[in-house]
Amino acid sequence: MFLLTGNKKPNFSTEFFISFITTTSYAVMSLGVATTPSSGGGIIYWSRWLFYMAACSLLMFDTARALNITTEDYSKMAIFTGLTMFNGFLASYIVTQSRWIFCGLSSAAYIGLLSFVMRGKENLQFRSLKPFVLIGWTLFPVVFILAPTGFGILETLIAEASYLILDIITKIIFGIMTSRLK
């Protein structure tokens, strides 16, 4: 990450910790720890959502900073992020039809979070931030619904590859882009 952002010495910024948390999440998933079989027989890696609670709250800090969102509103964004991810965890952990209750609660919290992002001030250095957030982040619930956690249209391997690509785009590339705003 340091080499990609052009830093010559380590800078333990939010981008570093977001990358570290995401890497730890993938290490846990690669070990097959914290999984649940889906009703369709696929594997659900529910631990992802617990790691997302931490990583995405830090991501909200960078987003709020880039959009000149107040500290008070950032606090609300962090709470909505936590609620989104915790309910996403419950929706992925519970394999009965009750999971849709938590999917709905997660979606409601996500919409609340997006309302803060969309109200943020435009950043002249990063004009594509709002569309980047809206499109990139919204693809996560789409994968969730299509994956074994939802309707089971996507196989586990395809869903996990999709999450990996989205994580690289929405966390690593986003971190590189926002690190230049400092």
Side-chain angles (χ1 to χ4, degrees):
M1 179 69 172
F2 303 122
L3 297 173
L4 293 174
T5 60
N7 290 335
K8 302 223 188 271
K9 63 180 184 173
N11 177 10
F12 295 107
S13 62
T14 53
E15 293 87 10
F16 170 81
F17 289 109
I18 290 166
S19 298
F20 188 84
I21 292 165
T22 302
T23 302
T24 303
S25 172
Y26 279 94
V28 167
M29 289 187 290
S30 73
L31 296 172
V33 177
T35 63
T36 298
S38 72
S39 57
I43 296 173
I44 297 172
Y45 295 93
W46 55 260
S47 63
R48 150 189 337 280
W49 304 101
L50 298 177
F51 284 100
Y52 279 172
M53 283 176 64
C56 292
S57 293
L58 290 172
L59 197 61
M60 287 306 98
F61 177 77
D62 284 344
T63 303
R65 185 179 41 77
L67 294 174
N68 296 313
I69 293 173
T70 66
T71 303
E72 179 183 334
D73 282 348
Y74 162 68
S75 300
K76 293 173 187 171
M77 289 172 67
I79 291 169
F80 274 121
T81 301
L83 290 171
T84 300
M85 299 309 158
F86 185 70
N87 280 289
F89 152 70
L90 291 173
S92 64
Y93 184 74
I94 297 169
V95 294
T96 64
Q97 292 301 315
S98 299
R99 72 184 181 272
W100 295 110
I101 294 169
F102 298 103
C103 185
L105 291 170
S106 180
S107 297
Y110 178 64
I111 290 168
L113 171 62
L114 281 180
S115 73
F116 283 100
V117 172
M118 293 303 132
R119 288 189 312 226
K121 296 177 184 159
E122 290 296 326
N123 188 315
L124 297 178
Q125 294 176 307
F126 193 178
R127 292 178 195 256
S128 60
L129 179 60
K130 288 181 183 182
F132 182 89
V133 167
L134 183 63
I135 294 166
W137 295 357
T138 301
L139 288 174
F140 280 92
V142 170
V143 172
F144 184 93
I145 289 170
L146 296 175
T149 47
F151 293 116
I153 295 169
L154 298 177
E155 297 287 329
T156 299
L157 183 62
I158 301 297
E160 294 308 313
S162 300
Y163 282 130
L164 175 61
I165 291 165
L166 287 170
D167 278 336
I168 290 168
I169 293 168
T170 61
K171 292 178 180 67
I172 307 300
I173 294 174
F174 178 80
I176 292 167
M177 292 165 63
T178 58
S179 69
R180 295 182 180 159
L181 298 176
K182 295 176 181 173

